[in-house]
Amino acid sequence: MSNTDSFVEEVNEEVRRDRLYGLLRRYGWIAVLAIFVIVGGAAFSEYRKAQATAKAEALGDAMLAALTLNESAQRAEALSAIEPQTPASGAVLRLMTAAEQAEAGDVPTAVQTLDQLAVDGSVPQIYRQLAGFKAVTLQGTSAPVADRRQAFEAMAQPGNPLRLLASEQLALIDIETGEAQAAMDRYQAIINDAEVTSDLQQRALQVIVALGGEPDLADDGSMGADVGTTQDN
């Protein structure tokens, strides 16, 4: 490379350097600000996570402290006094409170707690459905048959996650009212349902046999062992 070429290259390099420094002086603050935003955002995110963790731990500690009390009525009172952090945690607290109220023998108050939860639009739907189901089952035969049947029929509709349990309750109402064949038909439908759990399937088989019926088993005989056990019992 000639001296002229070397000189030109040095000049070009100096020009580029001057331009870079000029850009940094003009726009360097943007890079600094971006760094502060990124670092600050990460720090704030970590702070929020720490706050959420602390709140969750405080809620768990309060629930455990309430559950260590000796009497159900005391546990119910302590649970109801806890301030929830989210609608979901509030729903869980109310379900637990209702369970302790029922355990203490205060079924009307437990049903009231569940009924209020069942119509609370701020909580996830599954909690409302569970509260409604539990409220009806808690009342038992003290509630009119027609009211219980209407409530469980609404819950037994397709798409409801509690529909099979509601169908089981309808079958029990059929037995209560002397409609044994209707009960067996409901239990058979439960057995044939693709979403039935093994425990519910076993209960359905046992009740059909107890009522003097014979379950219509799957063609592949997959439930044969269960039925054999049921009949032996």
Side-chain angles (χ1 to χ4, degrees):
M1 179 181 295
S2 66
N3 291 335
T4 302
D5 292 338
S6 177
F7 175 75
V8 170
E9 182 66 26
E10 289 179 4
V11 170
N12 289 337
E13 183 66 27
E14 189 67 27
V15 170
R16 286 194 294 268
R17 187 179 299 111
D18 289 342
R19 286 178 179 175
L20 176 61
Y21 289 154
L23 290 173
L24 288 176
R25 285 193 297 270
R26 182 178 297 181
Y27 301 111
W29 64 272
I30 297 178
V32 174
L33 179 61
I35 293 172
F36 274 112
V37 169
I38 293 172
V39 174
F44 181 72
S45 177
E46 290 300 320
Y47 171 77
R48 290 286 300 273
K49 290 179 181 178
Q51 288 288 96
T53 300
K55 289 180 179 179
E57 290 176 351
L59 177 62
D61 291 343
M63 293 170 66
L64 288 174
L67 294 175
T68 57
L69 297 174
N70 293 327
E71 301 294 333
S72 296
Q74 294 176 329
R75 293 195 293 270
E77 183 178 359
L79 287 168
S80 64
I82 297 174
E83 187 68 27
Q85 303 299 327
T86 65
S89 62
V92 172
L93 279 170
R94 282 189 276 181
L95 288 170
M96 295 174 64
T97 299
E100 295 297 342
Q101 289 168 339
E103 181 69 20
D106 192 359
V107 173
T109 302
V111 171
Q112 183 180 12
T113 300
L114 293 167
D115 284 340
Q116 291 174 349
L117 175 57
V119 297
D120 188 347
S122 68
V123 303
Q125 185 179 20
I126 182 60
Y127 294 114
R128 302 199 304 270
Q129 293 170 331
L130 184 59
F133 178 85
K134 190 61 178 176
V136 180
T137 56
L138 268 181
Q139 295 176 71
T141 56
S142 64
V145 169
D147 292 347
R148 284 183 282 141
R149 190 183 293 276
Q150 182 179 13
F152 286 128
E153 284 176 348
M155 298 177 198
Q157 297 304 309
N160 191 312
L162 302 176
R163 63 183 182 83
L164 291 179
L165 293 176
S167 294
E168 181 184 28
Q169 293 298 318
L170 287 170
L172 292 174
I173 292 175
D174 290 333
I175 296 173
E176 179 186 340
T177 57
E179 302 173 74
Q181 186 58 52
M184 287 190 287
D185 291 342
R186 289 189 192 276
Y187 278 120
Q188 185 62 57
I190 290 173
I191 292 172
N192 294 339
D193 195 286
E195 297 179 1
V196 66
T197 63
S198 58
D199 289 342
L200 179 53
Q201 185 182 78
Q202 184 70 13
R203 291 201 303 271
L205 290 166
Q206 290 174 341
V207 176
I208 290 176
V209 172
L211 291 174
E214 184 174 347
D216 184 9
L217 304 180
D219 293 337
D220 60 5
S222 59
M223 292 185 292
D226 290 337
V227 176
T229 302
T230 301
Q231 292 176 334
D232 291 341
N233 291 338

